[in-house]
């Protein structure tokens, strides 16, 4: 793709007045990334596909604030371009970069920069060569889920064979990737999902699948009974389900699974790992990251993805994909229209899709 010649581009932006708080604007309001000012640390890329993440549908910050602040959060992002994940083609690269025009890349944009648009100026530290064995649509489904997973497993010592990992929400956007990455690292995986998705999760490589909606037995009781001795306990619980929403908190997974006797091994500290949750989790995460003070309970940790420098994680992800250890699962590809993006957000809120929804921005 050539460098853009006009000052504006099509983009999906947050709009309070639109259904699902999102709309696609047509070449009149959103400027192309500046191409005249060369930046050594950035690439100008033509976007082919953009991955849809729950954080997009929640206006970036609305899921991290108290309910009374949600409307304020939505106003705060009004007019911002949506999205974090993309796959595309380099159209301009600084002379010192290892990338060249025409290279296929994928990666994450910083918050509020957006990817549901025709072009992005992406930090080199947050992109990598696209896995060669998959399409742009599949690659766009990867960045946040697989970077989150790799970083969380590394932080908790679960990148080596023999570790036992429990994954809650194994059929979702992060869960499908987390299950496959754990198996690629040689871990033993117990996965929790609905009965409808049990066969699908088994096909991802899960060693044991527990159905949370089985009317005959309570999933938490099954897990606690299985962890009655140290050999049956887990080195890590990766909870991709719990969030600030009441429908998740009602299950009380963390309280029930970590109550003594816990399903975690005695040596596993801060090993019940959440990626969503109430405002208090985010406050503690900020305190931990910027002040170095861990205010979480001895069992709990909240993983907050690190975007700067994630190029190495994306490179590792590409290796896992190209060696057939991991395959992204795209539930649906939607068109780059207001209706298409609004449908994608509705799907995110329903949380009934397997894998990821992707926006097709342009032809490859």
């Amino acid at each position: 793709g050539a460098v853009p010649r006009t000052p504006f581009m099509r983009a999906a932006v947050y709009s309070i007045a639109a259904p699902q708080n999102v709309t696609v604007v047509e070449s009149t309001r959103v400027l192309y990334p500046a191409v005249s000012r060369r930046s050594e640390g950035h690439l100008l890329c033509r976007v082919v596909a953009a991955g849809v993440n729950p954080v997009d549908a929640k206006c970036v910050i609305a899921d991290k604030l108290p309910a009374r602040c949600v409307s304020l959060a939505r106003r705060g992002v009004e007019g911002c371009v949506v999205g974090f994940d993309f796959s595309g083609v380099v159209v301009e690269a600084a002379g010192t970069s290892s990338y060249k025009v025409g290279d296929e890349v994928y990666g994450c944009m910083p918050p509020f920069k957006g990817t549901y648009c025709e072009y992005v100026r992406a930090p080199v530290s947050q992109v990598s060569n696209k896995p060669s064995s998959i399409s742009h649509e599949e690659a766009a489904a990867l960045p946040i889920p697989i970077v989150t997973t790799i970083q969380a497993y590394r932080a908790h010592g679960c990148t080596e064979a023999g570790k036992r990992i429990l994954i809650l929400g194994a059929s979702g956007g992060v869960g499908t990737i987390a299950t496959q990455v754990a198996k690629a690292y040689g871990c033993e995986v117990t996965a929790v999902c609905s009965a409808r998705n049990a066969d699908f999760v088994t096909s991802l490589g899960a060693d044991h699948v527990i159905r949370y909606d089985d009317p005959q037995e309570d999933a938490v009781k099954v897990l606690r009974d299985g962890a009655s001795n140290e050999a049956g306990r887990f080195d890590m619980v990766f909870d991709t389900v719990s969030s600030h929403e009441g429908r998740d908190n009602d299950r009380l997974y963390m309280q029930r699974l970590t109550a003594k006797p816990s399903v975690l091994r005695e040596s596993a500290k801060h090993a019940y790992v959440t990626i969503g949750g109430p405002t208090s989790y985010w406050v503690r995460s900020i305190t931990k990251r910027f002040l170095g003070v861990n205010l979480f309970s001895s069992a709990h940790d909240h993983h907050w993805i690190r975007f700067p420098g994630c190029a190495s994680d994306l490179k590792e992800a590409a290796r896992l994909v190209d060696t057939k250890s991991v395959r992204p699962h795209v539930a649906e590809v939607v068109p780059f229209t207001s209706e298409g993006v609004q449908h994608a957000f509705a799907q995110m809120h329903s949380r009934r899709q397997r894998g990821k929804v992707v926006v097709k921005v342009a032809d490859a």
Side-chain angles (χ1 to χ4, degrees), residues 55-355:
V55 68
D56 304 337
K58 295 171 182 174
C59 300
V60 183
I61 56 175
D63 63 327
K64 302 168 181 65
L65 298 173
R68 62 182 178 277
C69 299
V70 169
S71 61
L72 181 64
R74 288 174 178 157
R75 285 195 292 273
V77 299
E78 182 78 4
C80 290
V81 180
V82 181
F84 286 85
D85 294 352
F86 79 96
S87 183
V89 180
V90 175
V91 296
E92 183 181 270
T96 57
S97 169
S98 61
Y99 296 97
K100 62 184 185 300
V101 173
D103 282 351
E104 294 186 326
V105 296
Y106 79 130
C108 310
M109 287 293 287
F112 307 111
K113 297 297 184 182
T115 57
Y116 297 21
C117 51
E118 293 178 300
Y119 291 84
V120 295
R121 182 170 283 280
V124 172
S125 66
Q126 295 180 202
V127 301
S128 184
N129 293 109
K130 179 182 80 66
S132 59
S133 61
I134 59 175
S135 67
H136 280 288
E137 288 79 9
E138 290 173 304
L142 275 173
I144 280 184
I146 203 160
V147 170
T148 296
T149 296
I150 290 172
Q151 289 180 354
Y153 286 173
R154 184 192 307 124
H156 295 278
C158 289
T159 58
E160 58 191 59
K163 296 290 186 177
R164 301 188 76 243
I165 300 178
L166 169 62
I167 299 172
L168 308 181
S171 64
V174 175
T176 55
I177 295 298
T179 300
Q180 295 177 82
V181 172
K183 291 306 299 176
Y185 288 155
C187 301
E188 181 181 341
V189 174
T190 298
V192 177
C193 64
S194 67
R196 180 175 70 92
N197 290 322
D199 288 344
F200 169 65
V201 170
T202 299
S203 75
L204 299 177
D207 298 286
H208 317 284
V209 176
I210 296 174
R211 301 154 179 80
Y212 70 79
D213 55 355
D214 188 331
Q216 303 301 318
E217 52 189 8
D218 177 64
V220 172
K221 184 178 186 302
V222 172
L223 289 165
R224 289 182 63 84
D225 288 348
S228 57
N229 57 64
E230 185 70 3
R233 294 179 186 141
F234 299 98
D235 296 286
M236 176 180 170
V237 177
F238 197 20
D239 181 348
T240 73
V241 175
S242 294
S243 76
H244 68 302
E245 297 181 37
R247 58 178 164 174
D248 297 324
N249 294 332
D250 289 346
R251 295 191 183 278
L252 300 173
Y253 277 128
M254 183 165 65
Q255 293 92 321
R256 296 172 67 196
L257 290 172
T258 60
K260 294 188 180 301
S262 172
V263 301
L264 289 166
R265 295 188 191 279
E266 288 187 16
S267 59
K269 303 302 182 185
H270 300 291
Y272 187 103
V273 182
T274 52
I275 56 174
T279 304
S280 61
Y281 289 8
W282 296 101
V283 171
R284 290 175 214 166
S285 289
I286 290 169
T287 303
K288 180 183 174 185
R289 177 165 297 184
F290 295 109
L291 299 180
V293 178
N294 193 337
L295 300 177
F296 289 105
S297 69
S298 61
H300 183 207
D301 191 24
H302 186 69
H303 182 73
W304 180 15
I305 188 173
R306 286 183 181 270
F307 288 118
C310 70
S312 59
D313 299 320
L314 290 163
K315 184 176 180 180
E316 164 70 354
R319 180 190 70 80
L320 291 171
V321 171
D322 284 337
T323 56
K324 310 301 182 187
S325 297
V326 172
R327 185 82 184 190
H329 287 264
V330 176
E332 186 175 2
V333 177
V334 300
F336 188 37
T337 62
S338 292
E339 294 77 12
V341 176
Q342 288 160 7
H343 171 74
F345 274 27
Q347 289 296 97
M348 281 291 100
H349 288 304
S350 77
R351 297 191 305 188
R352 286 294 173 264
Q353 77 283 348
R354 294 177 180 174

